[in-house]
Amino acid sequence: MHPTEFDVIVVGGGPAGSTAATAVALRGHRVLLLEQQAFPRYQIGESLLPSTVHGVCRILGVEDEVARAGFKVKRGGTFRWGRNRDPWQFSFALSPRLADPTSFAYQVERQRFDAILLDNARRKGVDVRERCRVREVVADGERVRGVRWTGPDGEVGEARARYVVDASGNGSRIHGEVGGKRTYSDFFRNIAVFGYFAGGARLPEPNDGNIFCAAFDEGWIWYIPLRDGLTSVGAVVSRENAAEIQRDPVAGWRRLIDACPEVREMLAGVEQATEAPYDQVRVRKDWSYWKTRLWRPGMVLVGDAACFVDPVLSSGVHLATYGALLAARSINGALAGEVAEERLLEEFQARYRHEYALFYEFLVSFYDMHQDERSYFWKARKVTNVAATELEAFVELVGGLASGDASLADPGARLTSASSELDGAVGRLPESDGLRNPLFESASVRQVFQEGAVLQERGVFGGPLEDESPVRPGGLVASEDGLTWVDPGR
């Protein structure tokens, strides 16, 4: 076994791994990407946000190919959620920073979308090797130096590099190498059961591509129109339902769909999908967590290896690709030798935590605004029931960065206030004049989409429309091409 040398090794070929690998290769560095499976392969997380499509994909040079793939256009979301029992729309177009022609995203079949990103990485010079399972990292007392893996024919390989990026998902076997611990959220301690139907009703145009989320007594359901003849449907319920669901996932899934009138009606007379890989009903649990440390010398965590919040706002692929781009900027800067490694990696960690914190706070508030005191699920997901230990861990994680706040002395009060403000904004939607969206007048909504909007501006215009400021004292800002960091003080 003779080690080969690279600048960067990426473990995992999903959106996070492809993004990190491509963004480093675009700066001329030697990148090896090791993926355990053979693509295309199935993955959940099908609903994108505009920042991924028009920001990250454009920076990586793959936006046009994604557009040609013919994915279902998503102009926002439709929710039956909150005090108002009538569905309401969340439209990207009514945000002043998400204006046409970038006021949309896609509903994607992940095996196709992920393969597009991975093939783009190959074209950009990344050495992509599929069916290679990373067994361990190579490290010494000073830093991580590389990885060892097993190839498709059982051969053992070893490669050395300045940096290893763990993008191997929530099932990562190596994330512990950076230290720290994975902290699971009790508030989002749910279980999801999901599958596919061979069709289903669509919302009226132009919202026929919207994700539809409906709250009901036992939790909430997503309904994603992937294409004509294919709809993704999943139910998110309490972990207390786990035994029933795991005993018979199909029966549990069907029962939960029947318990939600809106979704039941949209699927009336429609058969379950029979085409592979959509012919299975799957279960996912323990998805909401964060790592207390995201890097050590020579190694960083991105994507689901680092964190995941909750599927309700389609944040998964955004956080994965955004965090991967942050990591690539820091690695590119370190390889160039222009800024100290520790400063660069602390910038990556601080910004990644900041974005995670904004989505975490927003989603806690989003759950809290749904009023159903009869339901065990919804009573357990009130801000007042966020465990004190979880708030303490969260405060320690974000260190005052959430909501741009210098102090998190009373996070419970701030979460309650944000929920009330969001609830009020939804209540004003029926009186909207069509020119202003009350949702984007809510501070929590503006903040959670702000960084995504900056990514889109960078992709579309080559940089943000306003001067970018560091997120913390002494922090860095992105370069014009979005691929590294620069010191604004120089």
Side-chain angles (χ1 to χ4, degrees), residues 57-109:
C57 286
R58 189 169 291 202
I59 290 170
L60 300 180
V62 75
E63 185 187 26
D64 290 343
E65 186 175 355
V66 172
R68 290 193 298 270
F71 295 123
K72 188 72 173 176
V73 172
K74 168 190 174 184
R75 303 192 183 281
T78 300
F79 297 86
R80 216 277 289 136
W81 192 293
R83 295 178 187 273
N84 189 341
R85 308 307 288 180
D86 296 325
W88 50 273
Q89 310 286 346
F90 184 99
S91 173
F92 300 129
L94 290 181
S95 164
R97 298 189 71 135
L98 299 177
D100 288 333
T102 63
S103 57
F104 67 90
Y106 296 113
Q107 312 285 18
V108 300
E109 296 176 67

Side-chain angles (χ1 to χ4, degrees), residues 283-351:
V283 177
R284 177 86 181 267
K285 61 181 180 178
D286 292 333
W287 63 60
S288 186
Y289 53 85
W290 62 80
K291 281 280 292 189
T292 57
R293 185 164 181 80
L294 298 178
W295 71 275
R296 64 173 283 194
M299 184 173 177
V300 300
L301 306 180
V302 298
D304 287 3
C307 59
F308 188 84
V309 189
D310 187 84
V312 71
L313 197 67
S314 310
S315 61
V317 175
H318 163 73
L319 283 172
T321 56
Y322 174 75
L325 184 60
L326 295 179
R329 289 174 182 171
S330 296
I331 290 170
N332 284 336
L335 292 174
E338 297 172 355
V339 181
E341 177 186 74
E342 182 173 359
R343 188 180 179 193
L344 289 162
L345 293 176
E346 282 297 321
E347 185 71 31
F348 150 74
Q349 180 167 273
R351 284 183 178 259

